Every structure is written in structure tokens, then in C-alpha cells.
Amino acid sequence: MIFDKFTPQMLDFLAENHLRNSKSWYDDHKDICRSLVIEPFYQLTEAMTPTMLEIDPQFVCIPYKVLSRVRRDTRFTKNKDLYRDHMWLTFRHPKKHLGNSLCYYFEIEQEGWGYGVGYYDIPSQVRDAYRKMILHHDVNYLTAKNIVDNEKTFSLYGESYRRSRFPEASPEDQNWLNRKNIGVSFFCDDFTALFDGTFYDIMINDLKRITPFYHFLRVAEERVRHQKGLEAHS
């Protein structure tokens, strides 16, 4: 499939809207924003939906809930810029806060574009759960690790502690154990495939292939949820 809805003009509009930082200017150009930015992302969401629901039937795939907002929420941040110069999609479970949700994502920034799976900020209990799975060489971890180790597309992300928390673990396991956050990502600074539409089939195949990594972290979440249920009824 060729998905050629994204254009250089979209990036130009986002950059100018961000730099002008003006509600009145944005209001005067809403129709342009809709045609250049919102609609292409909505169409991509609709195209990706069958694959995302195949990976996880619980994913929310309603376009306006999947797409980030052009207008920023500046209430709780020192950065008071009103508008973003980048946009993204996130496929995650309903009623989950983006900050601590496990999700699939696709993003376009001024510097490039990419996609992946993971957390923006993993809940500490889930991190503890997946670490236990690693230490016990749980089959879900081994399957995920094998996929990531043999992947040329994705890189494991997440800042690591300066000093190992698990010095007795193997170096390969420490690479996962010592991360404060975790996910896998692909990022490209060449917009050619994005603008000519050839990125789509490659991206879909990549996201399918990395599914064991997603399932590994989802199992960790389910084990946390199960433990909380046991504690609530004890």
C-alpha cells in the first residue's frame, strides 16, 4: 500500500504555527491545519486499525483519541508554547493515561519520523514485574529478547542507571534490567519514504514483527494487575 498523504507543507505549517505561537493566527488557519495535518493522520489511523486490533483487540483506534493535539496543555509545564511543531499517534488501552501507558506509536517531528512500542514513563510496579521475568528467564522475555537482538530496524530505548542494579546478571540481561524506562524505536531523518508513501507497508510489517516485545510488557502489566487483585481480596 502507498500512503502518500503526508507532505513537506505539513511540516512547514506545524513549524510556522509553533513559531507564531498565536491563537488568532491558528484560528485563521484551522482549515489548512485540518487538510494538511489532521486529516492525513486520521487516514493513517484508519489504515492501521485492522493491524493494531489484530495485535491487541483492546486498543483504542478512534482517530481523534489516537492523535495528539496541535494545541499543548501548558497548565503544568514551564514551557508555555501554545502549539506543537510535531504530531504523533498512540494505540493503547482505553482510559489509560498516555504518560504511563504501554503503546504502539507513530510520530513525525521536524527532524524526522519514526515508530515503535513501549512507555513514555513506565510505572515502577510494571518495571519490577518485568525485571522478575528477566531474572527468571521467563519465556515471554526470552522470546522478546530474541526478536530485539535479531532486529536491525529497532533499537532498545530507555536511560540506564550509571551503576548496575543487578551486577550478577549476564551483560545481555543487564542491558534490559538496568533501564529506568523501556521500549523499542525506529527513527529516520530522511523524509523520502514518508512523503512518497512507501514507508507504510514496511512500518506495518515492522510493527507486527515486534509484537512479542509488546506481549512481554503486557504480561508484566497483567501480573501486576493480578497481584493487586489478590491483595484487595486478602
Side-chain angles (χ1 to χ4, degrees):
M1 172 180 173
I2 299 296
F3 186 90
D4 56 357
K5 309 300 182 184
F6 295 121
T7 64
Q9 291 74 25
M10 175 198 67
L11 284 176
D12 292 342
F13 175 85
L14 287 171
E16 182 172 5
N17 187 46
H18 171 71
L19 290 172
R20 286 182 178 272
N21 201 34
S22 165
K23 183 179 184 303
S24 61
W25 191 88
Y26 173 75
D27 288 344
D28 289 342
H29 295 78
K30 273 187 177 181
D31 290 344
I32 297 175
C33 181
R34 184 82 187 182
S35 62
L36 288 179
V37 181
I38 306 300
E39 286 300 334
F41 270 101
Y42 278 6
Q43 291 177 45
L44 179 62
T45 301
E46 292 170 355
M48 293 176 67
T49 290
T51 298
M52 293 296 100
L53 293 179
E54 179 184 334
I55 292 171
D56 190 335
Q58 294 187 61
F59 276 149
V60 173
C61 297
I62 301 169
Y64 78 88
K65 291 186 176 182
V66 170
L67 180 60
S68 61
R69 295 180 178 180
V70 178
R71 175 70 184 257
R72 298 179 64 251
D73 184 351
T74 60
R75 292 173 299 170
F76 309 109
T77 176
K78 293 181 180 179
N79 181 356
K80 298 303 179 182
D81 290 341
L82 296 176
Y83 301 99
R84 309 181 193 283
D85 64 357
H86 58 286
M87 298 288 284
W88 66 83
L89 306 174
T90 52
F91 296 89
R92 60 188 190 276
H93 282 189
K95 299 181 180 180
K96 290 286 188 178
H97 187 271
L98 176 59
N100 54 24
S101 292
L102 174 59
C103 64
Y104 271 78
Y105 73 89
F106 169 83
E107 64 183 356
I108 299 178
E109 301 179 355
Q110 296 295 319
E111 298 80 12
W113 59 281
Y115 46 84
V117 186
Y119 293 90
Y120 285 97
D121 185 13
I122 188 171
S124 59
Q125 290 177 311
V126 178
R127 184 171 56 225
D128 291 343
Y130 87 66
R131 283 173 172 170
K132 289 180 181 178
M133 295 170 69
I134 293 172
L135 291 170
H136 289 91
H137 280 183
D138 183 286
V139 65
N140 293 284
Y141 163 63
L142 295 177
T143 303
K145 183 177 180 300
N146 182 62
I147 290 292
V148 174
D149 285 348
N150 290 285
E151 266 293 333
K152 296 181 179 180
T153 300
F154 292 100
S155 299
L156 200 64
Y157 72 72
E159 181 184 1
S160 295
Y161 294 105
R162 292 184 179 181
R163 180 176 297 178
S164 176
R165 300 294 181 91
F166 304 89
E168 295 182 0
S170 70
E172 293 81 7
D173 289 344
Q174 286 189 45
N175 187 36
W176 293 58
L177 287 165
N178 290 311
R179 293 182 182 271
K180 301 176 185 179
N181 197 28
I182 196 165
V184 291
S185 63
F186 162 79
F187 191 79
C188 181
D189 59 7
D190 183 346
F191 287 95
T192 303
L194 183 75
F195 292 150
D196 69 20
T198 56
F199 78 97
Y200 181 81
D201 285 341
I202 297 171
M203 176 184 71
I204 290 297
N205 288 331
D206 287 345
L207 295 180
K208 286 181 178 178
R209 203 165 58 249
I210 206 67
T211 299
F213 178 83
Y214 172 78
H215 284 162
F216 159 61
L217 293 175
R218 185 61 73 195
V219 168
E221 283 196 349
E222 292 301 323
R223 291 183 181 180
V224 170
R225 187 174 296 109
H226 177 70
Q227 183 61 37
K228 286 183 178 179
L230 292 177
E231 291 171 357
H233 291 90
S234 62

mmCIF file of all heavy atoms in Angstrom, residues 136-173:
data_model
loop_
_atom_site.group_PDB
_atom_site.id
_atom_site.type_symbol
_atom_site.label_atom_id
_atom_site.label_comp_id
_atom_site.label_asym_id
_atom_site.label_seq_id
_atom_site.Cartn_x
_atom_site.Cartn_y
_atom_site.Cartn_z
ATOM 1 N N HIS A 136 14.150 -14.578 35.985
ATOM 2 C CA HIS A 136 13.710 -15.975 35.931
ATOM 3 C C HIS A 136 13.719 -16.528 34.506
ATOM 4 O O HIS A 136 13.281 -17.654 34.276
ATOM 5 C CB HIS A 136 12.300 -16.109 36.525
ATOM 6 C CG HIS A 136 12.267 -15.935 38.007
ATOM 7 N ND1 HIS A 136 12.068 -14.711 38.613
ATOM 8 C CD2 HIS A 136 12.410 -16.835 39.020
ATOM 9 C CE1 HIS A 136 12.081 -14.856 39.925
ATOM 10 N NE2 HIS A 136 12.302 -16.124 40.203
ATOM 11 N N HIS A 137 14.214 -15.738 33.568
ATOM 12 C CA HIS A 137 14.261 -16.136 32.160
ATOM 13 C C HIS A 137 12.909 -16.665 31.686
ATOM 14 O O HIS A 137 12.816 -17.721 31.060
ATOM 15 C CB HIS A 137 15.373 -17.158 31.929
ATOM 16 C CG HIS A 137 16.720 -16.510 31.826
ATOM 17 N ND1 HIS A 137 17.873 -17.210 31.553
ATOM 18 C CD2 HIS A 137 17.112 -15.209 31.983
ATOM 19 C CE1 HIS A 137 18.906 -16.388 31.539
ATOM 20 N NE2 HIS A 137 18.464 -15.164 31.795
ATOM 21 N N ASP A 138 11.886 -15.885 32.017
ATOM 22 C CA ASP A 138 10.527 -16.187 31.579
ATOM 23 C C ASP A 138 10.505 -16.307 30.056
ATOM 24 O O ASP A 138 11.165 -15.560 29.334
ATOM 25 C CB ASP A 138 9.592 -15.053 32.036
ATOM 26 C CG ASP A 138 8.146 -15.303 31.708
ATOM 27 O OD1 ASP A 138 7.783 -15.193 30.523
ATOM 28 O OD2 ASP A 138 7.366 -15.612 32.625
ATOM 29 N N VAL A 139 9.700 -17.236 29.536
ATOM 30 C CA VAL A 139 9.656 -17.479 28.095
ATOM 31 C C VAL A 139 9.223 -16.236 27.324
ATOM 32 O O VAL A 139 9.674 -16.007 26.192
ATOM 33 C CB VAL A 139 8.733 -18.685 27.777
ATOM 34 C CG1 VAL A 139 7.276 -18.369 28.146
ATOM 35 C CG2 VAL A 139 8.850 -19.075 26.307
ATOM 36 N N ASN A 140 8.365 -15.402 27.927
ATOM 37 C CA ASN A 140 7.942 -14.181 27.241
ATOM 38 C C ASN A 140 9.120 -13.216 27.068
ATOM 39 O O ASN A 140 9.229 -12.537 26.040
ATOM 40 C CB ASN A 140 6.828 -13.496 28.034
ATOM 41 C CG ASN A 140 5.552 -14.295 28.067
ATOM 42 O OD1 ASN A 140 4.815 -14.345 27.100
ATOM 43 N ND2 ASN A 140 5.295 -14.938 29.205
ATOM 44 N N TYR A 141 9.976 -13.152 28.071
ATOM 45 C CA TYR A 141 11.173 -12.320 27.957
ATOM 46 C C TYR A 141 12.130 -12.888 26.919
ATOM 47 O O TYR A 141 12.645 -12.147 26.064
ATOM 48 C CB TYR A 141 11.881 -12.213 29.303
ATOM 49 C CG TYR A 141 13.312 -11.735 29.188
ATOM 50 C CD1 TYR A 141 13.603 -10.473 28.686
ATOM 51 C CD2 TYR A 141 14.379 -12.574 29.554
ATOM 52 C CE1 TYR A 141 14.923 -10.035 28.557
ATOM 53 C CE2 TYR A 141 15.693 -12.141 29.438
ATOM 54 C CZ TYR A 141 15.960 -10.875 28.930
ATOM 55 O OH TYR A 141 17.259 -10.452 28.804
ATOM 56 N N LEU A 142 12.381 -14.179 26.968
ATOM 57 C CA LEU A 142 13.326 -14.783 26.035
ATOM 58 C C LEU A 142 12.875 -14.608 24.592
ATOM 59 O O LEU A 142 13.691 -14.347 23.697
ATOM 60 C CB LEU A 142 13.503 -16.263 26.362
ATOM 61 C CG LEU A 142 14.152 -16.585 27.719
ATOM 62 C CD1 LEU A 142 14.202 -18.083 27.940
ATOM 63 C CD2 LEU A 142 15.560 -15.980 27.802
ATOM 64 N N THR A 143 11.574 -14.725 24.366
ATOM 65 C CA THR A 143 11.043 -14.534 23.013
ATOM 66 C C THR A 143 11.222 -13.082 22.567
ATOM 67 O O THR A 143 11.641 -12.811 21.436
ATOM 68 C CB THR A 143 9.561 -14.918 22.958
ATOM 69 O OG1 THR A 143 9.401 -16.269 23.400
ATOM 70 C CG2 THR A 143 9.015 -14.791 21.545
ATOM 71 N N ALA A 144 10.893 -12.148 23.474
ATOM 72 C CA ALA A 144 11.041 -10.725 23.150
ATOM 73 C C ALA A 144 12.508 -10.373 22.902
ATOM 74 O O ALA A 144 12.839 -9.655 21.941
ATOM 75 C CB ALA A 144 10.480 -9.873 24.277
ATOM 76 N N LYS A 145 13.380 -10.877 23.754
ATOM 77 C CA LYS A 145 14.816 -10.583 23.624
ATOM 78 C C LYS A 145 15.361 -11.124 22.303
ATOM 79 O O LYS A 145 16.164 -10.451 21.639
ATOM 80 C CB LYS A 145 15.575 -11.187 24.794
ATOM 81 C CG LYS A 145 17.076 -10.874 24.797
ATOM 82 C CD LYS A 145 17.743 -11.438 26.033
ATOM 83 C CE LYS A 145 19.245 -11.122 26.047
ATOM 84 N NZ LYS A 145 19.938 -11.699 24.871
ATOM 85 N N ASN A 146 14.947 -12.304 21.931
ATOM 86 C CA ASN A 146 15.409 -12.898 20.675
ATOM 87 C C ASN A 146 15.002 -12.037 19.483
ATOM 88 O O ASN A 146 15.805 -11.813 18.562
ATOM 89 C CB ASN A 146 14.836 -14.303 20.526
ATOM 90 C CG ASN A 146 15.313 -14.983 19.258
ATOM 91 O OD1 ASN A 146 16.504 -15.213 19.062
ATOM 92 N ND2 ASN A 146 14.371 -15.311 18.377
ATOM 93 N N ILE A 147 13.767 -11.522 19.521
ATOM 94 C CA ILE A 147 13.296 -10.662 18.439
ATOM 95 C C ILE A 147 14.120 -9.383 18.379
ATOM 96 O O ILE A 147 14.601 -8.974 17.317
ATOM 97 C CB ILE A 147 11.800 -10.321 18.625
ATOM 98 C CG1 ILE A 147 10.934 -11.564 18.387
ATOM 99 C CG2 ILE A 147 11.383 -9.190 17.706
ATOM 100 C CD1 ILE A 147 10.920 -12.041 16.947
ATOM 101 N N VAL A 148 14.303 -8.733 19.531
ATOM 102 C CA VAL A 148 15.035 -7.461 19.568
ATOM 103 C C VAL A 148 16.505 -7.663 19.183
ATOM 104 O O VAL A 148 17.076 -6.850 18.445
ATOM 105 C CB VAL A 148 14.920 -6.809 20.961
ATOM 106 C CG1 VAL A 148 15.798 -5.565 21.058
ATOM 107 C CG2 VAL A 148 13.470 -6.445 21.259
ATOM 108 N N ASP A 149 17.105 -8.733 19.669
ATOM 109 C CA ASP A 149 18.514 -8.998 19.370
ATOM 110 C C ASP A 149 18.754 -9.184 17.874
ATOM 111 O O ASP A 149 19.836 -8.853 17.365
ATOM 112 C CB ASP A 149 18.994 -10.251 20.109
ATOM 113 C CG ASP A 149 19.206 -10.010 21.595
ATOM 114 O OD1 ASP A 149 19.197 -8.839 22.015
ATOM 115 O OD2 ASP A 149 19.383 -11.004 22.331
ATOM 116 N N ASN A 150 17.757 -9.720 17.190
ATOM 117 C CA ASN A 150 17.915 -10.014 15.765
ATOM 118 C C ASN A 150 17.284 -8.958 14.864
ATOM 119 O O ASN A 150 17.219 -9.135 13.652
ATOM 120 C CB ASN A 150 17.318 -11.392 15.455
ATOM 121 C CG ASN A 150 18.139 -12.517 16.051
ATOM 122 O OD1 ASN A 150 19.208 -12.853 15.553
ATOM 123 N ND2 ASN A 150 17.653 -13.089 17.140
ATOM 124 N N GLU A 151 16.826 -7.879 15.482
ATOM 125 C CA GLU A 151 16.209 -6.790 14.733
ATOM 126 C C GLU A 151 17.253 -5.773 14.300
ATOM 127 O O GLU A 151 18.057 -5.328 15.103
ATOM 128 C CB GLU A 151 15.151 -6.080 15.600
ATOM 129 C CG GLU A 151 13.748 -6.598 15.407
ATOM 130 C CD GLU A 151 13.210 -6.295 14.029
ATOM 131 O OE1 GLU A 151 13.657 -5.302 13.412
ATOM 132 O OE2 GLU A 151 12.360 -7.053 13.561
ATOM 133 N N LYS A 152 17.219 -5.385 13.042
ATOM 134 C CA LYS A 152 18.075 -4.320 12.558
ATOM 135 C C LYS A 152 17.325 -2.990 12.496
ATOM 136 O O LYS A 152 17.940 -1.940 12.397
ATOM 137 C CB LYS A 152 18.622 -4.681 11.173
ATOM 138 C CG LYS A 152 19.528 -5.898 11.172
ATOM 139 C CD LYS A 152 20.070 -6.193 9.788
ATOM 140 C CE LYS A 152 20.994 -7.411 9.814
ATOM 141 N NZ LYS A 152 21.531 -7.725 8.462
ATOM 142 N N THR A 153 15.991 -3.084 12.582
ATOM 143 C CA THR A 153 15.172 -1.872 12.472
ATOM 144 C C THR A 153 15.080 -1.135 13.789
ATOM 145 O O THR A 153 15.269 0.082 13.856
ATOM 146 C CB THR A 153 13.748 -2.226 11.995
ATOM 147 O OG1 THR A 153 13.832 -2.855 10.719
ATOM 148 C CG2 THR A 153 12.876 -0.987 11.899
ATOM 149 N N PHE A 154 14.799 -1.878 14.877
ATOM 150 C CA PHE A 154 14.502 -1.264 16.167
ATOM 151 C C PHE A 154 15.714 -1.240 17.094
ATOM 152 O O PHE A 154 16.530 -2.163 17.088
ATOM 153 C CB PHE A 154 13.368 -2.013 16.869
ATOM 154 C CG PHE A 154 12.039 -1.880 16.187
ATOM 155 C CD1 PHE A 154 11.559 -2.892 15.375
ATOM 156 C CD2 PHE A 154 11.259 -0.745 16.360
ATOM 157 C CE1 PHE A 154 10.329 -2.775 14.746
ATOM 158 C CE2 PHE A 154 10.027 -0.620 15.746
ATOM 159 C CZ PHE A 154 9.561 -1.632 14.935
ATOM 160 N N SER A 155 15.749 -0.200 17.916
ATOM 161 C CA SER A 155 16.750 -0.094 18.978
ATOM 162 C C SER A 155 16.035 -0.035 20.316
ATOM 163 O O SER A 155 14.993 0.614 20.448
ATOM 164 C CB SER A 155 17.601 1.161 18.803
ATOM 165 O OG SER A 155 18.293 1.138 17.580
ATOM 166 N N LEU A 156 16.606 -0.694 21.308
ATOM 167 C CA LEU A 156 16.059 -0.632 22.664
ATOM 168 C C LEU A 156 16.324 0.758 23.232
ATOM 169 O O LEU A 156 17.434 1.276 23.131
ATOM 170 C CB LEU A 156 16.740 -1.691 23.528
ATOM 171 C CG LEU A 156 16.048 -2.145 24.820
ATOM 172 C CD1 LEU A 156 14.727 -2.835 24.527
ATOM 173 C CD2 LEU A 156 16.970 -3.075 25.597
ATOM 174 N N TYR A 157 15.286 1.396 23.795
ATOM 175 C CA TYR A 157 15.497 2.719 24.379
ATOM 176 C C TYR A 157 15.203 2.701 25.875
ATOM 177 O O TYR A 157 14.621 1.763 26.396
ATOM 178 C CB TYR A 157 14.656 3.789 23.675
ATOM 179 C CG TYR A 157 13.160 3.760 23.925
ATOM 180 C CD1 TYR A 157 12.613 4.133 25.146
ATOM 181 C CD2 TYR A 157 12.278 3.416 22.907
ATOM 182 C CE1 TYR A 157 11.241 4.140 25.364
ATOM 183 C CE2 TYR A 157 10.898 3.417 23.110
ATOM 184 C CZ TYR A 157 10.396 3.784 24.338
ATOM 185 O OH TYR A 157 9.037 3.783 24.550
ATOM 186 N N GLY A 158 15.604 3.767 26.545
ATOM 187 C CA GLY A 158 15.409 3.913 27.987
ATOM 188 C C GLY A 158 16.736 4.188 28.674
ATOM 189 O O GLY A 158 17.692 3.417 28.539
ATOM 190 N N GLU A 159 16.799 5.294 29.399
ATOM 191 C CA GLU A 159 18.028 5.646 30.117
ATOM 192 C C GLU A 159 18.395 4.567 31.127
ATOM 193 O O GLU A 159 17.529 4.011 31.799
ATOM 194 C CB GLU A 159 17.842 6.985 30.838
ATOM 195 C CG GLU A 159 19.065 7.460 31.592
ATOM 196 C CD GLU A 159 18.815 8.736 32.376
ATOM 197 O OE1 GLU A 159 17.669 9.243 32.334
ATOM 198 O OE2 GLU A 159 19.754 9.202 33.039
ATOM 199 N N SER A 160 19.672 4.270 31.234
ATOM 200 C CA SER A 160 20.146 3.240 32.159
ATOM 201 C C SER A 160 20.751 3.872 33.408
ATOM 202 O O SER A 160 21.259 4.994 33.365
ATOM 203 C CB SER A 160 21.201 2.356 31.492
ATOM 204 O OG SER A 160 20.648 1.630 30.416
ATOM 205 N N TYR A 161 20.685 3.135 34.504
ATOM 206 C CA TYR A 161 21.352 3.578 35.725
ATOM 207 C C TYR A 161 22.867 3.565 35.500
ATOM 208 O O TYR A 161 23.390 2.712 34.778
ATOM 209 C CB TYR A 161 21.004 2.655 36.891
ATOM 210 C CG TYR A 161 19.548 2.709 37.303
ATOM 211 C CD1 TYR A 161 18.680 1.680 36.969
ATOM 212 C CD2 TYR A 161 19.052 3.794 38.020
ATOM 213 C CE1 TYR A 161 17.346 1.723 37.347
ATOM 214 C CE2 TYR A 161 17.719 3.846 38.407
ATOM 215 C CZ TYR A 161 16.869 2.811 38.063
ATOM 216 O OH TYR A 161 15.553 2.867 38.425
ATOM 217 N N ARG A 162 23.552 4.485 36.123
ATOM 218 C CA ARG A 162 25.005 4.533 35.967
ATOM 219 C C ARG A 162 25.670 3.310 36.574
ATOM 220 O O ARG A 162 26.663 2.810 36.058
ATOM 221 C CB ARG A 162 25.550 5.802 36.623
ATOM 222 C CG ARG A 162 25.145 7.086 35.905
ATOM 223 C CD ARG A 162 25.792 8.298 36.546
ATOM 224 N NE ARG A 162 25.421 9.529 35.853
ATOM 225 C CZ ARG A 162 25.853 10.731 36.191
ATOM 226 N NH1 ARG A 162 26.686 10.866 37.237
ATOM 227 N NH2 ARG A 162 25.476 11.803 35.509
ATOM 228 N N ARG A 163 25.135 2.848 37.693
ATOM 229 C CA ARG A 163 25.685 1.658 38.352
ATOM 230 C C ARG A 163 24.662 0.534 38.254
ATOM 231 O O ARG A 163 23.484 0.721 38.547
ATOM 232 C CB ARG A 163 25.997 1.964 39.816
ATOM 233 C CG ARG A 163 26.566 0.775 40.587
ATOM 234 C CD ARG A 163 26.933 1.162 41.999
ATOM 235 N NE ARG A 163 28.002 2.183 42.013
ATOM 236 C CZ ARG A 163 28.482 2.709 43.117
ATOM 237 N NH1 ARG A 163 27.980 2.340 44.319
ATOM 238 N NH2 ARG A 163 29.446 3.603 43.060
ATOM 239 N N SER A 164 25.127 -0.638 37.862
ATOM 240 C CA SER A 164 24.229 -1.764 37.668
ATOM 241 C C SER A 164 23.490 -2.130 38.954
ATOM 242 O O SER A 164 24.097 -2.228 40.026
ATOM 243 C CB SER A 164 25.002 -2.984 37.169
ATOM 244 O OG SER A 164 24.149 -4.111 37.077
ATOM 245 N N ARG A 165 22.188 -2.327 38.827
ATOM 246 C CA ARG A 165 21.386 -2.782 39.959
ATOM 247 C C ARG A 165 21.426 -4.308 40.084
ATOM 248 O O ARG A 165 21.001 -4.859 41.098
ATOM 249 C CB ARG A 165 19.932 -2.329 39.773
ATOM 250 C CG ARG A 165 19.747 -0.807 39.672
ATOM 251 C CD ARG A 165 20.103 -0.122 40.960
ATOM 252 N NE ARG A 165 19.913 1.317 40.922
ATOM 253 C CZ ARG A 165 18.793 1.949 41.276
ATOM 254 N NH1 ARG A 165 17.748 1.264 41.682
ATOM 255 N NH2 ARG A 165 18.716 3.260 41.212
ATOM 256 N N PHE A 166 21.931 -4.976 39.044
ATOM 257 C CA PHE A 166 21.946 -6.438 39.023
ATOM 258 C C PHE A 166 23.312 -6.920 38.515
ATOM 259 O O PHE A 166 23.409 -7.500 37.431
ATOM 260 C CB PHE A 166 20.820 -6.967 38.125
ATOM 261 C CG PHE A 166 19.454 -6.468 38.520
ATOM 262 C CD1 PHE A 166 18.955 -5.280 37.985
ATOM 263 C CD2 PHE A 166 18.685 -7.166 39.433
ATOM 264 C CE1 PHE A 166 17.697 -4.811 38.354
ATOM 265 C CE2 PHE A 166 17.429 -6.705 39.805
ATOM 266 C CZ PHE A 166 16.934 -5.517 39.266
ATOM 267 N N PRO A 167 24.359 -6.696 39.293
ATOM 268 C CA PRO A 167 25.718 -6.994 38.820
ATOM 269 C C PRO A 167 25.977 -8.474 38.552
ATOM 270 O O PRO A 167 26.902 -8.801 37.803
ATOM 271 C CB PRO A 167 26.610 -6.471 39.955
ATOM 272 C CG PRO A 167 25.724 -6.464 41.171
ATOM 273 C CD PRO A 167 24.362 -6.133 40.658
ATOM 274 N N GLU A 168 25.167 -9.344 39.146
ATOM 275 C CA GLU A 168 25.396 -10.781 38.950
ATOM 276 C C GLU A 168 24.706 -11.308 37.698
ATOM 277 O O GLU A 168 24.954 -12.446 37.289
ATOM 278 C CB GLU A 168 24.907 -11.552 40.181
ATOM 279 C CG GLU A 168 25.699 -11.222 41.449
ATOM 280 C CD GLU A 168 25.228 -12.027 42.657
ATOM 281 O OE1 GLU A 168 24.290 -12.833 42.495
ATOM 282 O OE2 GLU A 168 25.798 -11.847 43.749
ATOM 283 N N ALA A 169 23.851 -10.509 37.098
ATOM 284 C CA ALA A 169 23.159 -10.938 35.878
ATOM 285 C C ALA A 169 24.121 -10.873 34.695
ATOM 286 O O ALA A 169 25.149 -10.193 34.724
ATOM 287 C CB ALA A 169 21.953 -10.052 35.625
ATOM 288 N N SER A 170 23.781 -11.593 33.630
ATOM 289 C CA SER A 170 24.613 -11.570 32.429
ATOM 290 C C SER A 170 24.571 -10.182 31.803
ATOM 291 O O SER A 170 23.604 -9.429 31.992
ATOM 292 C CB SER A 170 24.096 -12.600 31.422
ATOM 293 O OG SER A 170 22.840 -12.186 30.890
ATOM 294 N N PRO A 171 25.596 -9.802 31.056
ATOM 295 C CA PRO A 171 25.596 -8.481 30.400
ATOM 296 C C PRO A 171 24.381 -8.269 29.503
ATOM 297 O O PRO A 171 23.850 -7.159 29.423
ATOM 298 C CB PRO A 171 26.898 -8.495 29.592
ATOM 299 C CG PRO A 171 27.788 -9.452 30.325
ATOM 300 C CD PRO A 171 26.873 -10.514 30.850
ATOM 301 N N GLU A 172 23.946 -9.353 28.830
ATOM 302 C CA GLU A 172 22.776 -9.239 27.947
ATOM 303 C C GLU A 172 21.514 -8.917 28.743
ATOM 304 O O GLU A 172 20.704 -8.076 28.335
ATOM 305 C CB GLU A 172 22.577 -10.544 27.165
ATOM 306 C CG GLU A 172 23.671 -10.854 26.154
ATOM 307 C CD GLU A 172 24.895 -11.483 26.804
ATOM 308 O OE1 GLU A 172 24.825 -11.799 28.018
ATOM 309 O OE2 GLU A 172 25.912 -11.652 26.107
ATOM 310 N N ASP A 173 21.355 -9.557 29.904
ATOM 311 C CA ASP A 173 20.183 -9.287 30.735
ATOM 312 C C ASP A 173 20.287 -7.914 31.401
ATOM 313 O O ASP A 173 19.278 -7.220 31.567
ATOM 314 C CB ASP A 173 20.028 -10.371 31.805
ATOM 315 C CG ASP A 173 19.595 -11.711 31.224
ATOM 316 O OD1 ASP A 173 19.131 -11.734 30.070
ATOM 317 O OD2 ASP A 173 19.728 -12.727 31.927
#
